[in-house]
Amino acid sequence: MHFEEITKETLYIALEIINSNPGFNLHENDNAIRELADLEEEFLNPVTTSEFIKLDDTYIGVVDYLLENPKDQCLWLGLLVIHSDYQGFGFGAQAYALIESDMHKRGLERIRIGVVKENGKAKKFWESLGFLSIKTALSENGKEIYVYERLFSKDCS
């Protein structure tokens, strides 16, 4: 498994991955289907890093993160989504482990995520990876979210 930068030319692949998860889209955006323009703003910006998760030559997911949130100086994982066809095989956990290892090598010690209150599937996934809920907050679009945090293991390599 490895990561590849999302570009304007490959954005349509990210759209297909995102739209394979209509339930997630409803929780996050109140719309089951996203448009290319939405993703252009979200993934092609100078602030966050947006990458595909690839298994050999197959695009199986998307990850988007902010190395240092100016509000709290923490690494924030904004999105980790696996195409619906590839869910249930442990690819999300594997992708997260690679992200954590890379960030630990950069000297970072923790990561935060926000999970929409109604997204029970996401809460269960992140809790299974050792994330702990540290507070509640409102997202930019006014949704109540649980803020989760995970301290990196000392043995990350």
Side-chain angles (χ1 to χ4, degrees):
M1 183 175 291
H2 63 280
F3 300 100
E4 176 185 300
E5 182 184 1
I6 295 174
T7 65
K8 189 167 181 71
E9 293 74 30
T10 58
L11 193 60
Y12 73 96
I13 301 167
L15 181 66
E16 196 227 313
I17 292 168
I18 298 295
N19 282 340
S20 79
N21 293 279
F24 170 78
N25 288 336
L26 279 171
H27 285 304
E28 294 291 320
N29 307 291
D30 297 323
N31 205 340
I33 301 296
R34 303 284 308 274
E35 300 293 330
L36 204 55
D38 300 332
L39 297 190
E40 189 166 341
E41 182 178 319
E42 187 172 340
F43 295 148
L44 303 180
N45 67 71
V47 178
T48 64
T49 299
S50 306
E51 298 173 319
F52 288 109
I53 303 165
K54 291 185 74 177
L55 188 63
D56 298 321
D57 289 331
T58 305
Y59 296 94
I60 65 166
V62 172
V63 63
D64 183 68
Y65 58 90
L66 178 62
L67 279 175
E68 185 178 311
N69 186 326
K71 294 179 183 176
D72 61 9
Q73 290 68 53
C74 285
L75 164 66
W76 276 78
L77 182 60
L79 179 71
L80 190 158
V81 174
I82 301 296
H83 191 289
S84 63
D85 291 348
Y86 299 99
Q87 291 178 7
F89 299 102
F91 296 135
Q94 288 176 41
Y96 173 74
L98 286 174
I99 293 165
E100 180 173 310
S101 176
D102 180 49
M103 296 305 155
H104 188 68
K105 288 176 188 172
R106 295 179 188 210
L108 301 173
E109 298 177 355
R110 74 184 71 216
I111 188 168
R112 290 186 175 167
I113 58 169
V115 177
V116 174
K117 183 179 179 181
E118 292 80 19
N119 193 343
K121 185 177 178 181
K123 286 171 43 183
K124 184 178 177 183
F125 173 77
W126 293 112
E127 289 170 1
S128 78
L129 293 178
F131 279 78
L132 300 174
S133 179
I134 60 169
K135 64 181 178 178
T136 59
L138 289 178
S139 68
E140 290 179 5
N141 60 1
K143 292 187 176 281
E144 187 174 359
I145 61 169
Y146 293 111
V147 175
Y148 281 85
E149 181 177 85
R150 176 174 157 87
L151 300 178
F152 294 153
S153 313
K154 297 289 184 215
D155 61 352
C156 276
S157 54

